[in-house]
Amino acid sequence: MTVVTRFAPSPTGLLHIGGARTALYNWLFAKHHAEYGTGGRFLLRIEDTDRKRHAEDAVEAIYDGLSWLGLNWDGEAISQFTRAERHAEIARQLLDEGKAYHCYCTPEELNEMREAARAEGRKMMYDGRWRDRDPADAPAGVDPVIRLKAPQDGETIIQDLVQGEVKVDNGQLDDMILLRGDGTPTYMLAVVVDDHDMEVSHVIRGDDHLNNAFRQTQIYRGLGWDIPAFAHIPLIHGADGAKMGKRHGALGIDAYRDQGFLPEAICNYLLRLGWSHGDDEIISRDEAVEWFSLEAIGRGAARFDADKLTNLNGHYIRQSEDSRLVDLVIPLLALSLKGTLDEGAESRLIKGMAGLKERAKTLPELAESAEIYAMTRPLRLNEKADQLVQGVGRDHLDSLRGRLTDVGDWNHEALENAVRAYADSADIKLGKAAQPLRAALTGRTVSPSIFEVIEILGRDEVLGRLDDVLKDL
RNA sequence: GUCCCCUUCGUCUAGCGGCCUAGGACAUCGCCCUCUCACGGCGAAAACACGGGUUCGAUUCCCGUAGGGGACGCCA
């Protein structure tokens, strides 16, 4: 039997971090079974039953976010809204079979029921007043809703692949609305019908849906359909332990992209947030597909930890192809340098990326450090760098300029030897010579190996930058 | 309020009755490497929420308590 999973976001906002993890787990589970089992498919369904809450750009954000993360879905994304007629048909079928009924309650009546329940400290639910009432009593001018005639005794049990066996007293569940007064389906009906029609075998979603699983189970039973396997994964909380709400870093996935995180870092982080494979931390996409299983998902909610994500991001940056990083960094440089990239910038970036990426944890950080290869002369030195080229620093630079001019083979070994020779002759530590050089050539006190920088910058640029500084003083 | 779920270092977690003087990772703090900063290496500090059981033996199983979270819409 082939495994079919689905990611079913509602297009109300953006694809946030929790949704991304849910999508990732669904994708991995399907892929795992496609490659190591008897087949697997990952589907995408937009839950836009309520047109009021449908936003086209939100749908685009979901597509973009999933694509960026590399979570491709099989076939076309399905819009739940387009299936409304099918949903209504099922509701009517249930009605005909006597498993559902018309309810003519007004919103006001429902509100009273809720208030009363609250006052008595009971769970707020519909009292079933139209369940067995004669349809002839129907008031005129009220469009009835269709409610499920849910079982009133016994209990409903679900076997959750993450949470284990979970049961609830049927007395705790009321007769839910299947079809609204205007004939449109509710979420509860739509998910069941769609999951069934799409042949979804495993429903993997946030455990805020755990309670819904009971009600959906009742609908499946009423219809006589097979119930899919459920796997309710714990929610992700903010760093302060509170729910990841709009106020708590529930940023869209695009915000993480803008902050300079790589998709593979985010996926690796999200994978480990709530799932584990022994002590493994760095897990490639292929390993994830091979190892992923529902049993290894933790049951407690996890807090989002930006530090760990950042650390992982640094790892993936170091591992990235230099050319990819150059492509990612150039637009950022164009922005920070206001469009004035030095003409040799790109080729220097390619040569220098290996040394640069070793030191960055995010793309903006990488771009900032890469400025040293893209800036046009004369450089503006920051405060600390400026201090280094004053006084004795300046004297060393003066001498160093001559030493560098004499270097024949312009490569970092030869350059380092020249500077070391100078330091020896001046009886100073290498750092006393290297730091002023770094300051003058990069405008800052931190950079990759200064000899590597000198080599990449090239003789003309180096002597030019040195002269800029020496002339200024 | 009612129902459901959860509970190992600050954080993510390993652990599926004895291998645990509880392991790893991030973060923190030392030291080393060193032209700066990173990387890397070595080391330190840091946890089984509490109380009862079950058992020869509980971090692991059961029951309470406390704490946290979620759900209670003609939203999804």
Side-chain angles (χ1 to χ4, degrees), chain A residues 265 309-319 357 360-362:
Chain A
L309 204 210
T310 301
N311 173 274
L312 236 18
N313 204 52
H315 169 85
Y316 283 102
I317 283 181
R318 270 172 260 136
Q319 206 144 82
K357 71 181 181 186
K361 287 192 162 68
T362 66

Side-chain angles (χ1 to χ4, degrees), chain A residues 218-354:
Chain A
Q218 293 184 332
I219 299 179
Y220 278 106
R221 290 251 162 76
L223 258 6
W225 289 347
D226 285 341
I227 299 171
F230 290 114
H232 289 93
I233 62 181
L235 268 17
I236 299 177
H237 290 174
D240 59 356
K243 182 189 175 186
M244 262 286 204
K246 296 241 155 46
R247 284 160 192 279
H248 282 95
L251 303 170
I253 207 71
D254 57 313
Y256 291 92
R257 173 175 51 195
D258 295 345
Q259 282 172 43
F261 291 103
L262 260 21
E264 56 268 47
I266 292 180
C267 285
N268 193 152
Y269 176 71
L270 254 20
L271 176 63
R272 280 289 289 108
L273 194 64
W275 176 87
S276 60
H277 183 264
D279 284 339
D280 294 311
E281 295 288 347
I282 304 288
I283 301 168
S284 70
R285 179 60 60 103
D286 286 346
E287 288 170 329
V289 168
E290 184 181 345
W291 296 338
F292 191 76
S293 72
L294 265 16
E295 298 80 73
I297 294 177
R299 308 212 278 174
R303 294 191 193 201
F304 185 82
D305 181 7
D307 281 340
K308 192 152 182 173
L309 204 210
T310 301
N311 173 274
L312 236 18
N313 204 52
H315 169 85
Y316 283 102
I317 283 181
R318 270 172 260 136
Q319 206 144 82
S320 292
E321 291 287 336
D322 294 346
S323 58
R324 172 192 183 196
L325 261 14
V326 170
D327 289 344
L328 287 170
V329 143
I330 282 182
L332 263 29
L333 283 171
L335 226 58
S336 68
L337 300 179
K338 310 215 168 42
T340 56
L341 292 213
D342 196 63
E343 53 181 313
E346 188 162 347
S347 77
R348 285 189 210 136
L349 285 173
I350 290 172
K351 290 183 205 148
M353 190 49 74

Side-chain angles (χ1 to χ4, degrees), chain A residues 453-464:
Chain A
V453 172
I454 294 173
E455 176 186 325
I456 290 169
L457 248 21
R459 174 180 251 119
D460 293 346
E461 181 69 19
V462 166
L463 296 181

Side-chain angles (χ1 to χ4, degrees), chain A residues 46-74:
Chain A
I46 305 297
E47 309 250 297
D48 52 359
T49 293
D50 182 1
R51 294 312 271 178
K52 291 190 293 288
R53 301 180 60 176
H54 177 94
E56 201 46 52
D57 51 347
V59 175
E60 286 304 318
I62 290 166
Y63 292 164
D64 289 350
L66 291 177
S67 301
W68 183 66
L69 291 170
L71 305 179
N72 52 300
W73 55 97
D74 294 310

